[in-house]
mmCIF file of all heavy atoms in Angstrom:
data_model
loop_
_atom_site.group_PDB
_atom_site.id
_atom_site.type_symbol
_atom_site.label_atom_id
_atom_site.label_comp_id
_atom_site.label_asym_id
_atom_site.label_seq_id
_atom_site.Cartn_x
_atom_site.Cartn_y
_atom_site.Cartn_z
ATOM 1 N N ALA A 9 -19.842 -1.027 11.058
ATOM 2 C CA ALA A 9 -20.126 -1.711 12.319
ATOM 3 C C ALA A 9 -19.231 -2.925 12.517
ATOM 4 O O ALA A 9 -19.092 -3.433 13.618
ATOM 5 C CB ALA A 9 -21.592 -2.129 12.360
ATOM 6 N N MET A 63 -21.557 6.864 6.994
ATOM 7 C CA MET A 63 -21.243 6.483 8.374
ATOM 8 C C MET A 63 -19.811 6.888 8.638
ATOM 9 O O MET A 63 -18.916 6.559 7.854
ATOM 10 C CB MET A 63 -21.406 4.984 8.561
ATOM 11 C CG MET A 63 -20.975 4.495 9.916
ATOM 12 S SD MET A 63 -21.976 5.197 11.228
ATOM 13 C CE MET A 63 -22.655 3.750 11.926
ATOM 14 N N TRP A 85 -18.898 7.862 16.665
ATOM 15 C CA TRP A 85 -19.438 7.531 15.358
ATOM 16 C C TRP A 85 -20.658 8.391 15.078
ATOM 17 O O TRP A 85 -21.283 8.930 15.983
ATOM 18 C CB TRP A 85 -19.774 6.039 15.253
ATOM 19 C CG TRP A 85 -20.828 5.571 16.197
ATOM 20 C CD1 TRP A 85 -22.171 5.476 15.952
ATOM 21 C CD2 TRP A 85 -20.642 5.143 17.548
ATOM 22 N NE1 TRP A 85 -22.824 5.015 17.060
ATOM 23 C CE2 TRP A 85 -21.908 4.788 18.063
ATOM 24 C CE3 TRP A 85 -19.528 5.011 18.375
ATOM 25 C CZ2 TRP A 85 -22.083 4.329 19.352
ATOM 26 C CZ3 TRP A 85 -19.713 4.547 19.666
ATOM 27 C CH2 TRP A 85 -20.966 4.212 20.138
ATOM 28 N N SER A 86 -20.967 8.502 13.793
ATOM 29 C CA SER A 86 -22.116 9.286 13.359
ATOM 30 C C SER A 86 -22.628 8.684 12.048
ATOM 31 O O SER A 86 -21.816 8.352 11.189
ATOM 32 C CB SER A 86 -21.704 10.740 13.141
ATOM 33 O OG SER A 86 -22.786 11.486 12.648
ATOM 34 N N PRO A 87 -23.907 8.519 11.897
ATOM 35 C CA PRO A 87 -24.973 8.896 12.818
ATOM 36 C C PRO A 87 -25.057 7.917 13.986
ATOM 37 O O PRO A 87 -24.519 6.817 13.942
ATOM 38 C CB PRO A 87 -26.229 8.818 11.947
ATOM 39 C CG PRO A 87 -25.903 7.786 10.924
ATOM 40 C CD PRO A 87 -24.434 7.921 10.666
ATOM 41 N N ARG A 88 -25.742 8.348 15.010
ATOM 42 C CA ARG A 88 -25.946 7.529 16.201
ATOM 43 C C ARG A 88 -27.290 6.802 16.168
ATOM 44 O O ARG A 88 -27.541 5.924 16.971
ATOM 45 C CB ARG A 88 -25.908 8.395 17.465
ATOM 46 C CG ARG A 88 -24.555 8.982 17.751
ATOM 47 C CD ARG A 88 -23.839 8.073 18.639
ATOM 48 N NE ARG A 88 -22.535 8.579 19.038
ATOM 49 C CZ ARG A 88 -21.859 8.023 20.003
ATOM 50 N NH1 ARG A 88 -22.342 7.017 20.665
ATOM 51 N NH2 ARG A 88 -20.679 8.484 20.303
ATOM 52 N N ARG A 89 -28.178 7.204 15.219
ATOM 53 C CA ARG A 89 -29.484 6.564 15.078
ATOM 54 C C ARG A 89 -29.787 6.314 13.613
ATOM 55 O O ARG A 89 -29.396 7.089 12.757
ATOM 56 C CB ARG A 89 -30.591 7.458 15.655
ATOM 57 C CG ARG A 89 -30.440 7.702 17.118
ATOM 58 C CD ARG A 89 -31.490 8.606 17.725
ATOM 59 N NE ARG A 89 -32.214 9.449 16.791
ATOM 60 C CZ ARG A 89 -33.434 9.920 16.999
ATOM 61 N NH1 ARG A 89 -34.072 9.634 18.100
ATOM 62 N NH2 ARG A 89 -34.027 10.693 16.125
ATOM 63 N N ALA A 90 -30.489 5.219 13.352
ATOM 64 C CA ALA A 90 -30.981 4.908 12.012
ATOM 65 C C ALA A 90 -32.495 5.063 12.040
ATOM 66 O O ALA A 90 -33.172 4.460 12.875
ATOM 67 C CB ALA A 90 -30.593 3.488 11.621
ATOM 68 N N CYS A 91 -33.011 5.903 11.164
ATOM 69 C CA CYS A 91 -34.450 6.177 11.162
ATOM 70 C C CYS A 91 -35.063 5.691 9.854
ATOM 71 O O CYS A 91 -34.467 5.821 8.782
ATOM 72 C CB CYS A 91 -34.704 7.668 11.337
ATOM 73 S SG CYS A 91 -34.105 8.293 12.925
ATOM 74 N N THR A 97 -33.902 3.727 15.544
ATOM 75 C CA THR A 97 -33.235 2.792 16.461
ATOM 76 C C THR A 97 -31.794 3.250 16.639
ATOM 77 O O THR A 97 -31.181 3.779 15.710
ATOM 78 C CB THR A 97 -33.252 1.347 15.924
ATOM 79 O OG1 THR A 97 -32.613 1.329 14.649
ATOM 80 C CG2 THR A 97 -34.651 0.811 15.785
ATOM 81 N N PRO A 98 -31.231 3.043 17.832
ATOM 82 C CA PRO A 98 -29.841 3.438 18.058
ATOM 83 C C PRO A 98 -28.878 2.558 17.249
ATOM 84 O O PRO A 98 -29.128 1.379 17.044
ATOM 85 C CB PRO A 98 -29.622 3.227 19.553
ATOM 86 C CG PRO A 98 -30.893 2.719 20.118
ATOM 87 C CD PRO A 98 -31.864 2.514 19.017
ATOM 88 N N ILE A 99 -27.787 3.146 16.799
ATOM 89 C CA ILE A 99 -26.706 2.401 16.155
ATOM 90 C C ILE A 99 -25.664 2.161 17.227
ATOM 91 O O ILE A 99 -25.134 3.101 17.805
ATOM 92 C CB ILE A 99 -26.108 3.187 14.976
ATOM 93 C CG1 ILE A 99 -27.158 3.390 13.889
ATOM 94 C CG2 ILE A 99 -24.868 2.472 14.431
ATOM 95 C CD1 ILE A 99 -26.721 4.290 12.743
ATOM 96 N N ARG A 100 -25.388 0.919 17.504
ATOM 97 C CA ARG A 100 -24.413 0.559 18.523
ATOM 98 C C ARG A 100 -23.119 0.121 17.859
ATOM 99 O O ARG A 100 -23.121 -0.453 16.791
ATOM 100 C CB ARG A 100 -24.942 -0.571 19.399
ATOM 101 C CG ARG A 100 -26.196 -0.181 20.157
ATOM 102 C CD ARG A 100 -26.606 -1.256 21.113
ATOM 103 N NE ARG A 100 -27.872 -1.257 21.757
ATOM 104 C CZ ARG A 100 -28.694 -0.284 22.040
ATOM 105 N NH1 ARG A 100 -28.422 0.904 21.705
ATOM 106 N NH2 ARG A 100 -29.835 -0.462 22.665
ATOM 107 N N MET A 101 -22.019 0.393 18.517
ATOM 108 C CA MET A 101 -20.695 -0.001 18.026
ATOM 109 C C MET A 101 -19.972 -0.769 19.116
ATOM 110 O O MET A 101 -20.127 -0.470 20.299
ATOM 111 C CB MET A 101 -19.842 1.225 17.679
ATOM 112 C CG MET A 101 -20.307 2.006 16.507
ATOM 113 S SD MET A 101 -19.807 1.178 15.005
ATOM 114 C CE MET A 101 -20.520 2.266 13.802
#
Side-chain angles (χ1 to χ4, degrees):
M63 174 63 120
W85 63 93
S86 177
R88 293 268 183 168
R89 297 179 341 154
C91 297
T97 58
I99 296 173
R100 298 186 192 335
M101 292 281 178

